Amino acid sequence: MTMSDPVADARRRIDAARRVVVLTGAGISTESGIPDFRGPKGVWTRNPAAEKLSNIHHYMANPEVRRLAWQGRVHHPAWTAVPNAGHRALVALEQRGRLHALITQNIDGLHQRAGNSPDKVIEVHGTVHDVVCMECGWRGPSGPVLDRVRAGEDDPPCDRCGGILKSATISFGQPLVPEVIDRAMRAAAQADVVLAIGTSLQVYPIAGAVPAAKAHGARLVIVNAQPTPFDDIADAVLRDPIGEALPAIVEGARGLGD
Ligand SMILES: [Zn+2]
């Protein structure tokens, strides 16, 4: 009897794939020093008051919540975080022509900073790198708005209409963007391998892409420290640190045409 090696299994699956759809969650960013907000040791789990800052109703109703939220944005770890070996492995996957789409629940922009093409990255929970006007819909880079906060504006209004500005992230109580979710679901349905990384696979509707892809015949590889509800239907499950597991899985993936 031989024990199956999940790293070798995962590498073989990816090596055989033409369209890998990657789904990333907080676990890949925590290895770059960005705290997990929803996990068992998450910021919101330990301090429910902090969750108020990310609730759209409190944000729209209360200038003090907006002041605190902007202060949190100015000091967000995303501005100084550096992509890790896990992020870089996903860049290598794209360079080898295997990456069909990179769906992420993270808002830190680290996949793009690592070098993945922006058009491959589908940010289902938005991004801290942009701001939007809740009144007129204007959207732009967050840098100039954060400069206004640093210069002393507690709650910088929209330059165009005076409306409330907000980080272009999906807050609690705020609907997901249907076009973005549709794009993610379509990509997952076209996958021949789904590689789920650092996500508990409990946040819907995106978690639903995993069994849907499996039903379409995709193979499923999960890299997550904790068990997920889909471990039983996975073809390989790895519990190793992401920064070690991903390079080990992707190194074996030859380029198309090699
Ligand atoms: Zn506006």
Side-chain angles (χ1 to χ4, degrees), residues 133 136 158 161:
C133 174
C136 73
C158 176
C161 77

Side-chain angles (χ1 to χ4, degrees), residues 133-138 158-165:
C133 174
M134 301 304 287
E135 186 70 31
C136 73
W138 173 84
C158 176
D159 276 337
R160 294 197 178 173
C161 77
I164 292 173
L165 291 180

Side-chain angles (χ1 to χ4, degrees), residues 1-238:
M1 187 182 120
T2 55
M3 296 291 286
S4 93
D5 170 6
V7 172
D9 282 351
R11 199 164 53 211
R12 197 172 61 245
R13 299 297 186 195
I14 289 168
D15 203 26
R18 300 181 82 82
R19 289 185 304 277
V20 178
V21 170
V22 175
L23 173 57
T24 64
I28 193 168
S29 290
T30 53
E31 291 186 16
S32 287
I34 294 185
D36 179 7
F37 283 85
R38 300 173 198 248
K41 292 178 183 168
V43 175
W44 291 332
T45 314
R46 287 177 299 158
N47 177 13
E51 186 178 338
K52 246 180 128 174
L53 298 183
S54 187
N55 180 296
I56 191 65
H57 305 294
H58 291 297
Y59 187 91
M60 295 306 288
N62 188 340
E64 177 62 8
V65 168
R66 294 198 292 277
R67 185 184 74 79
L68 291 170
W70 284 119
Q71 287 302 316
R73 280 297 178 249
V74 164
H75 299 290
H76 198 282
W79 312 125
T80 50
V82 177
N84 61 61
H87 293 101
R88 290 194 295 275
L90 298 178
V91 176
L93 189 66
E94 179 177 343
Q95 288 168 344
R96 287 164 189 158
R98 302 299 175 98
L99 182 67
H100 185 54
L102 203 179
I103 304 165
T104 186
Q105 298 169 318
N106 300 331
I107 59 172
D108 49 49
L110 285 180
H111 290 302
Q112 296 93 322
R113 185 174 296 178
N116 280 115
S117 308
D119 64 354
K120 292 277 187 195
V121 181
I122 305 174
E123 295 172 306
V124 292
H125 291 162
T127 175
V128 295
H129 292 271
D130 284 349
V131 293
V132 290
C133 174
M134 301 304 287
E135 186 70 31
C136 73
W138 173 84
R139 182 178 176 125
S142 56
V145 175
L146 295 179
D147 285 343
R148 289 166 64 188
V149 176
R150 288 188 196 95
E153 285 187 61
D154 284 341
D155 178 22
C158 176
D159 276 337
R160 294 197 178 173
C161 77
I164 292 173
L165 291 180
K166 185 186 161 298
S167 187
T169 52
I170 305 292
S171 297
F172 282 104
Q174 198 175 11
L176 297 165
V177 180
E179 295 77 15
V180 175
I181 301 302
D182 287 350
R183 194 182 153 212
M185 292 300 190
R186 270 200 313 277
Q190 294 162 343
D192 40 29
V193 168
V194 170
L195 175 54
I197 302 161
T199 165
S200 63
L201 295 175
Q202 289 174 28
V203 179
Y204 281 80
I206 283 303
V210 170
K214 186 79 189 178
H216 278 94
R219 299 295 183 173
L220 173 60
V221 176
I222 293 174
V223 183
N224 197 49
Q226 278 87 35
T228 83
F230 299 116
D231 289 0
D232 288 348
I233 63 165
D235 296 278
V237 178
L238 284 79

